[in-house]
């Protein structure tokens, strides 16, 4: 079992940088990896991941398709307006998404696993609305190929990372395997920040925690991501070429009774008319997954989860995501799910 020494003097200049390929370099290197993972997940809830095996060519293929999408005429992007989708898939115009009740100054394309629509039958959970087809631009067929390939690629990276993280804290590596697999519910966003809003507000994305297991973020060189650290302040996350910024979601905090951290983070809009592009990937379990408490040797020292009366957490993952979608996309909610809004 790895011995964990808490970080006494955390550095705010940079998040921990963790090399996942160390898992393949023998017992000593893997033990060091586990110590680093343990510390980062317990103390910070964020780190930079290198050695993940995703090649520059794979990244370039996605970024090229993404930039081509945002270069399409507005009419082509609006043809994929997410208000057309009861599954919350498609294009969101700048300012139409909300975080903490305020508008986010960005536009984006939301993509999930490509599956047929499942309309909940009477008595079935409403979260099945979240399963359904994506919307793709007819003028850019390569985007579908690139985006779905990215979901598959990062699902594999996240699955491996989760197993190493669980091992690092002394838990069974495969404990959560049954709630992922072929019916997992991954989520990919292709995001453009067009610069500062005309009214001077700088919320690219408001402060929030993610509600799944793991988030892997590909950010460009512009920067703007900020993480709330132990001093209560938000600190910049300098981009590292080829690295993913990884953060833990609320489900891992709940599963470990607060031993692992889901940490507040936000994005400050780039100055002036500077564009910023980012690609967050959310590694989420099946919609009907019930997240059981994780058995691990540090459980007795867990401090308990952070409670927020305005953000209740549910045992079934799908209810958590549905709650978040109804709040973040009010236009979709009002058009398709008015009967659910009182429950959000």
């Amino acid at each position: 079992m790895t011995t964990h020494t808490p970080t006494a003097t955390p550095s705010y200049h940079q998040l921990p940088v963790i090399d996942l390929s160390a898992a393949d370099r023998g017992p000593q290197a893997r033990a060091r990896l586990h110590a680093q993972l343990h510390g980062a997940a317990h103390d910070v809830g964020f780190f930079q991941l290198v050695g993940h095996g995703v090649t520059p060519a794979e990244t370039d293929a996605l970024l090229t398709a993404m930039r081509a999408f945002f270069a399409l005429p507005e009419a082509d992007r609006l043809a994929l307006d997410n208000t057309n989708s009861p599954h919350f898939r498609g294009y969101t115009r700048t300012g139409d998404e909300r975080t903490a009740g305020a508008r986010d100054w960005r536009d984006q394309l939301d993509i999930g696993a490509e599956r047929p629509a499942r309309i909940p039958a009477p008595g079935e959970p409403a979260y099945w609305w979240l399963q359904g087809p994506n919307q793709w631009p007819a003028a850019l067929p390569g985007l579908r190929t690139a985006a779905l390939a990215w979901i598959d690629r990062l699902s594999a990276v996240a699955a491996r990372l989760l197993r190493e993280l669980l091992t690092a804290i002394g838990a069974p590596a495969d404990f959560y395997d049954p709630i992922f697999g072929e019916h997992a519910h991954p989520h990919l966003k292709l995001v453009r920040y067009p610069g500062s809003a005309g009214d001077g507000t700088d919320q690219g994305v408001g402060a929030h925690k993610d509600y799944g297991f793991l988030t892997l973020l590909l950010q460009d060189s512009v920067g703007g991501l900020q993480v709330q650290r132990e001093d209560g302040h938000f600190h910049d996350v300098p981009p590292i070429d080829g690295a993913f910024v990884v953060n833990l979601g609320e489900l891992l905090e709940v599963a470990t009774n607060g031993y692992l951290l889901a940490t507040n983070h936000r994005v400050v809009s780039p100055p002036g008319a500077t564009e910023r592009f980012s690609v967050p990937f959310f590694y989420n379990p099946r919609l009907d997954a019930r997240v059981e408490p994780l058995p691990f040797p540090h459980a007795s020292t867990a401090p308990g989860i952070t409670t927020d009366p305005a953000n209740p957490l549910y045992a079934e993952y799908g209810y958590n995501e549905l709650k978040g979608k109804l709040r973040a996309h009010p236009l979709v909610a009002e058009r398709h799910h008015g009967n659910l809004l009182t429950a959000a």
Side-chain angles (χ1 to χ4, degrees), residues 194-229:
S196 298
D199 60 5
T201 58
D202 65 353
Q203 176 171 304
V205 179
H208 66 285
K209 299 178 181 181
D210 296 339
Y211 37 73
F213 264 70
L214 293 170
T215 302
L216 279 66
L217 171 72
L218 176 67
Q219 63 170 342
D220 67 11
S221 60
V222 173
L225 175 65
Q226 297 182 334
V227 173
Q228 191 173 32
R229 299 297 297 267

Side-chain angles (χ1 to χ4, degrees), residues 102-335:
R103 68 179 187 179
D104 294 328
W105 200 245
R106 62 177 181 173
D107 60 342
Q108 66 188 34
L109 187 67
D110 281 279
I111 302 164
E114 190 67 72
R115 295 181 183 136
R118 178 168 175 180
I119 299 172
E124 283 193 321
Y127 57 65
W128 289 116
W129 279 112
L130 299 172
Q131 177 177 306
N134 296 296
Q135 298 191 74
W136 303 107
L140 196 62
L143 179 63
R144 183 183 192 276
T145 301
L148 295 181
W150 192 256
I151 286 175
D152 288 344
R153 190 73 177 87
L154 262 66
S155 291
V157 173
R160 184 184 189 200
L161 176 60
L162 179 60
R163 281 173 153 255
E164 296 295 344
L165 174 57
L166 296 184
T167 300
I169 64 170
D174 61 353
F175 188 77
Y176 289 120
D177 283 6
I179 64 174
F180 285 93
E182 62 178 333
H183 297 295
H185 191 72
H187 180 205
L188 173 66
K189 286 178 179 278
L190 307 181
V191 184
R192 174 179 62 178
Y193 298 88
S196 298
D199 60 5
T201 58
D202 65 353
Q203 176 171 304
V205 179
H208 66 285
K209 299 178 181 181
D210 296 339
Y211 37 73
F213 264 70
L214 293 170
T215 302
L216 279 66
L217 171 72
L218 176 67
Q219 63 170 342
D220 67 11
S221 60
V222 173
L225 175 65
Q226 297 182 334
V227 173
Q228 191 173 32
R229 299 297 297 267
E230 296 95 318
D231 63 356
H233 297 295
F234 283 86
H235 296 265
D236 292 325
V237 178
I240 296 178
D241 186 39
F244 293 115
V245 181
V246 177
N247 66 278
L248 279 58
E250 291 174 322
L251 289 184
L252 271 174
E253 181 172 314
V254 171
T256 61
N257 196 30
Y259 188 80
L260 300 183
L261 293 180
T263 304
N264 264 328
H265 53 287
R266 67 187 184 187
V267 175
V268 176
S269 292
T274 303
E275 284 188 318
R276 175 183 185 260
F277 294 89
S278 73
V279 186
F281 169 79
F282 305 92
Y283 186 58
N284 303 322
R286 299 191 326 256
L287 288 171
D288 60 349
R290 296 184 67 87
V291 180
E292 299 296 333
L294 185 68
F296 69 110
H298 305 281
S300 62
T301 66
I305 63 172
T306 304
T307 57
D308 180 356
N311 182 37
L313 296 174
Y314 301 98
E316 286 180 68
Y317 169 69
Y319 286 120
N320 292 304
E321 180 162 328
L322 180 62
K323 171 194 63 182
K325 288 289 198 296
L326 292 171
R327 292 177 174 181
H329 296 281
L331 299 180
V332 179
E334 290 164 11
R335 180 169 181 179

